[in-house]
Amino acid sequence: MIRQVCINCGEEHEADEIVYFCRRCGDLLEIEYDYEELAERLERSDWRSLPLSVWRYRDFLPIRDLSKVVSLNEGGTGLHLCSRLAKVIGLKRVYVKNEGENPTGSFKDRGMTVGVTKALELNMKTVICASTGNTSASLAAYAAKAGLRCIVLVPSGKIAYGKLVQALAYGAEIVQVRGNFDQALRTVIELSERHGEVYLLNSINPYRLEGQKSLAYEVCDQLGGRAPDRVVLPVGNAGNISALWKGFTEFYRLGLVDSLPRMVGVQAEGASPIAQAIKRGSDVVTPVENPETVATAIRIGAPVSWKKALRAIRDSDGTAETVTDEEILEAQSMLARCEGLFVEPASASSIAGLKKMVELGEIDRDETVVCVATGHGLKDPDVMRRVGKPLEADADVQSIERLLGLTRPSRIEAS
Ligand code: AN7
């Protein structure tokens, strides 16, 4: 039995009802399972013998008819042990879950494989989202694969070029709106409510978040059936931190891990309504009117899943931190140079946040920490001013030797 349950009043909605907010109180919905039934299904299932991927966890997902699955081979991303980074930061064990390895280069693909499959189940012909970039690239790809019309609204001028190119290449209809992400989101919510045939796939949609929770399952499985002590991730609209926490708690509830991680949400200083609420000890989030940050993916002032995120942080005894644009760019460069992982600025904010917390003495040296790197660095090449410029030289050996200070090997004379 699968239901869509209101996180505030508990009102239940049928699994196939097309509804984005609780019909009784207007709050967000969450997918709930009969966990005894799920535990029994797992006993009969061969899920452990399947390769790491979102659909390895099909028993835990709200899709029963697997013939409709729209997949581009998402999930199964690397959990990289980053020893050099850990040493620089001053910790023993730091892993980076590199979501840039997904088909369109971000964690959004985990959600879209499930969300677009659900769209097909519901017989929808058009999908829509508002996006700071990655959601649009991902939705456009899965809509293309499924043969659906795809409409995306993006804030004009402030989205990373690579993401825009992706969405265009996959054939989405892109509208740049004169306004920021929060305004674009309000508009697509209203559009999908006025037009029943247009399916909304922002993270308000609880089916999408079900796909994203697979990241948490994978981390536990990659650590050999254990949860990390701490998970650090960037927070924008706050869907992912909610999804990951749901994933960890489900694994715990089903006895697949015997502990839970503390969740740390990292936000850019100029777009940090959730971190501010946590620091104030407040139960409500005050929107930031004009969010600004170099990490355009998380340039969001009114996170729609704020309530779920505050719960994830509080229930896990976690916290939230802010980082400056300067710290983000420095962390991006450090991760690339120390570990060979090139991630976009929003993703690097998790590394920057971790570094800051260690410096503040808030993290124990012995903890096993997983940072989630949410998207690939190539999506936003413009921002990467720190890589410097290439050198220049004539195309001859002597010029290169002189330029790079390479000394010529001395000849060994034959006697
Ligand atoms: C790389 O694409 O909101 O806290 O519209 O692209 O779940 O919103 C992107 C978000 C982190 C924040 N890292 O995740 C969008 C969008 C990257 C992102 C986030 C995003 P949420």
Side-chain angles (χ1 to χ4, degrees):
M1 248 319 244
I2 296 162
R3 282 181 228 90
Q4 307 185 76
V5 179
C6 174
I7 61 162
N8 177 48
C9 74
E11 176 82 354
E12 295 186 359
H13 306 67
E14 301 260 318
D16 279 350
E17 195 179 338
I18 297 167
V19 56
Y20 307 107
F21 297 98
C22 174
R23 293 223 185 271
R24 188 156 81 183
C25 77
D27 218 320
L28 294 175
L29 303 173
E30 186 168 69
I31 304 295
E32 233 182 64
Y33 302 82
D34 177 336
Y35 286 95
E36 276 176 30
E37 186 186 298
L38 173 51
E40 278 168 28
R41 191 162 56 240
L42 290 179
E43 292 208 351
R44 296 188 306 269
S45 168
D46 61 349
W47 70 280
R48 283 179 192 279
S49 66
L50 300 173
L52 210 64
S53 79
V54 171
W55 294 100
R56 165 184 164 99
Y57 304 103
R58 59 200 183 189
D59 295 306
F60 306 73
L61 294 174
I63 304 289
R64 291 284 81 90
D65 179 4
L66 295 174
S67 70
K68 284 212 170 69
V69 167
V70 184
S71 174
L72 291 167
N73 202 10
E74 48 292 316
T77 58
L79 183 69
H80 302 272
L81 180 60
C82 292
S83 310
R84 282 154 57 80
L85 176 75
K87 201 165 169 196
V88 174
I89 290 183
L91 289 172
K92 278 195 185 147
R93 256 184 320 279
V94 177
Y95 292 89
V96 170
K97 181 71 168 159
N98 188 21
E99 289 293 289
E101 295 169 32
N102 276 300
T104 77
S106 86
F107 71 100
K108 305 283 182 182
D109 296 341
R110 295 179 183 275
M112 291 307 177
T113 184
V114 175
V116 171
T117 299
K118 190 67 198 173
L120 286 189
E121 259 193 22
L122 294 169
N123 253 321
M124 305 305 269
K125 302 288 180 245
T126 303
V127 288
I128 194 169
C129 72
S131 178
T132 58
N134 281 323
T135 299
S136 64
S138 182
L139 182 59
Y142 285 85
K145 176 82 178 169
L148 298 174
R149 180 178 182 190
C150 177
I151 304 170
V152 301
L153 268 61
V154 299
S156 60
K158 288 278 185 167
I159 100 163
Y161 191 59
K163 303 173 188 178
L164 194 60
V165 170
Q166 282 183 293
L168 286 167
Y170 296 128
E173 292 162 73
I174 301 178
V175 187
Q176 294 192 313
V177 296
R178 291 175 209 99
N180 60 29
F181 170 82
D182 303 300
Q183 292 158 323
L185 181 60
R186 278 200 293 276
T187 309
V188 293
I189 290 172
E190 215 178 304
L191 276 169
S192 58
E193 279 171 348
R194 283 162 71 98
H195 301 271
E197 76 283 9
V198 176
Y199 194 54
L200 180 62
L201 273 167
N202 277 101
S203 52
I204 297 159
N205 186 317
Y207 284 99
R208 209 191 96 184
L209 293 185
E210 286 304 287
Q212 286 178 209
K213 76 183 180 184
S214 63
L215 196 161
Y217 297 166
E218 281 186 10
V219 165
C220 295
D221 282 345
Q222 285 171 308
L223 291 175
R226 295 188 18 213
D229 297 315
R230 212 179 275 263
V231 175
V232 186
L233 76 160
V235 171
N237 218 14
N240 206 34
I241 192 168
S242 320
L244 263 53
W245 180 237
K246 187 170 191 276
F248 285 118
T249 52
E250 285 178 343
F251 250 37
Y252 183 71
R253 186 170 180 170
L254 291 160
L256 296 167
V257 290
D258 58 14
S259 68
L260 286 165
R262 300 166 79 175
M263 304 297 292
V264 179
V266 182
Q267 296 200 294
E269 211 166 74
S272 55
I274 289 182
Q276 285 167 23
I278 290 290
K279 283 178 193 290
R280 277 201 313 270
S282 168
D283 286 338
V284 288
V285 165
T286 312
V288 170
E289 220 37 74
N290 294 304
E292 247 342 309
T293 168
V294 68
T296 53
I298 51 172
R299 187 169 163 267
I300 294 174
V304 71
S305 295
W306 65 269
K307 199 182 272 184
K308 287 183 179 178
L310 288 190
R311 280 189 195 169
I313 290 169
R314 298 234 161 91
D315 291 354
S316 71
D317 192 21
T319 186
E321 195 48 83
T322 61
V323 289
T324 64
D325 282 359
E326 190 58 29
E327 288 166 335
I328 289 173
L329 294 175
E330 197 183 303
Q332 182 187 33
S333 174
M334 184 166 69
L335 184 62
R337 287 165 183 240
C338 288
E339 299 291 347
L341 297 173
F342 180 30
V343 307
E344 67 168 281
S347 312
S349 70
S350 62
I351 311 295
L354 176 64
K355 181 165 176 277
K356 185 170 173 185
M357 286 182 70
V358 173
E359 284 163 7
L360 294 170
E362 288 170 17
I363 292 193
D364 195 283
R365 216 182 112 65
D366 294 326
E367 288 185 36
T368 298
V369 180
V370 171
C371 285
V372 182
T374 41
H376 202 288
L378 284 176
K379 283 172 170 279
D380 195 0
D382 293 341
V383 89
M384 199 57 192
R385 290 179 213 103
R386 280 172 181 270
V387 289
K389 285 201 195 101
L391 306 169
E392 224 178 296
D394 292 330
D396 64 79
V397 169
Q398 287 75 24
S399 301
I400 308 292
E401 283 178 344
R402 216 175 311 121
L403 184 70
L404 301 178
L406 294 170
T407 42
R408 287 181 67 188
S410 47
R411 229 174 245 286
I412 300 165
E413 300 292 338
S415 54

